[in-house]
Amino acid sequence: MGTPCQILAARKMQVPGSEGVVLSPSDKIKLTIGLFCMEQFNPELIDHLGVDKREIKKLNIKKEGLIVTLKDGRQMIVPHKELKKFVRGSCAACTDFTSKYADISVGSVGSPEGWSTVIVRTELGREVYMRALSDGYIIEPKFESPVYDVIDTMAAKKAARATSTIKPKS
Ligand code: SF4
């Protein structure tokens, strides 16, 4: 399981080289589950919050910005505008939002609170998903399918950000 960049790295390692061997330990990877990922932040963000990281219970990206929930129930919001300066340089140039190279992609975008959006991408992914469903490890909701437009919008936003970040050398 990993972020889109980790899944891509694993997939590249699985491509046999000129001698027909793949890079270890990618040969041990049977199934890949990729997460939706817009960005990761530099550790300086925690200093900026002014709290001990052990006090943090949950971090959530919402429309308003980063919602930081502390163990004592308090919440802090860091607006998107303020968050920008903490985004890792490599993330600003990354174009994959939904882990396109995974067998199964999972994220919260497009689904109601408490549910996950799942995109099955390969036969192996389908097999595993169906087995998990029939064995009761996961359940499908009774409401309609995820809102794919929101996912597409986020993916397009990420791709556009990368395009504006990577400027060709003149
Ligand atoms: S946004 Fe950053 S952490 Fe997420 S997949 Fe891209 S490079 Fe990896």
Side-chain angles (χ1 to χ4, degrees), residues 152-165:
D152 288 347
T153 304
M154 294 287 286
K157 213 169 143 189
K158 187 172 178 182
R161 180 182 69 186
T163 310
S164 64
T165 304

Side-chain angles (χ1 to χ4, degrees), residues 1-16 22-33 101-103:
M1 178 178 274
T3 55
C5 57
Q6 291 170 327
I7 301 294
L8 177 61
R11 290 303 194 210
K12 286 186 172 182
M13 290 169 75
Q14 286 174 333
V15 175
V22 302
L23 286 176
S24 178
S26 71
D27 51 325
K28 304 279 188 304
I29 301 171
K30 300 294 176 215
L31 173 81
T32 54
I33 300 177
Y101 301 99
D103 293 297

Side-chain angles (χ1 to χ4, degrees), residues 26-153:
S26 71
D27 51 325
K28 304 279 188 304
I29 301 171
K30 300 294 176 215
L31 173 81
T32 54
I33 300 177
L35 304 169
F36 292 0
C37 178
M38 194 65 183
E39 60 216 355
Q40 298 285 323
F41 302 104
N42 291 317
E44 287 75 31
L45 174 62
I46 301 293
D47 302 335
H48 174 77
L49 294 174
V51 293
D52 187 323
K53 65 179 175 194
R54 286 168 298 191
E55 288 178 52
I56 300 173
K57 183 180 171 193
K58 200 166 142 192
L59 297 171
N60 256 349
I61 293 282
K62 297 276 180 193
K63 227 182 333 178
E64 315 85 289
L66 176 72
I67 316 282
V68 185
T69 308
L70 302 181
K71 286 180 184 160
D72 64 9
R74 279 182 299 145
Q75 281 198 328
M76 304 160 79
I77 299 177
V78 186
H80 286 291
K81 216 171 148 193
E82 213 173 307
L83 273 178
K84 272 188 189 169
K85 61 176 181 264
F86 299 107
V87 174
R88 289 187 178 174
S90 51
C91 298
C94 172
T95 55
D96 188 2
F97 174 60
T98 59
S99 287
K100 289 186 281 192
Y101 301 99
D103 293 297
I104 300 173
S105 300
V106 183
S108 59
V109 175
S111 288
E113 188 80 34
W115 292 88
S116 294
T117 300
V118 179
I119 304 173
V120 175
R121 298 182 182 279
T122 63
E123 269 316 305
L124 173 64
R126 177 162 303 283
E127 216 175 280
V128 171
Y129 180 85
M130 295 313 287
R131 174 67 81 87
L133 198 60
S134 63
D135 288 355
Y137 288 107
I138 55 173
I139 52 169
E140 286 184 343
K142 298 207 180 346
F143 53 80
E144 289 178 19
S145 26
V147 187
Y148 292 109
D149 285 359
V150 189
I151 301 168
D152 288 347
T153 304

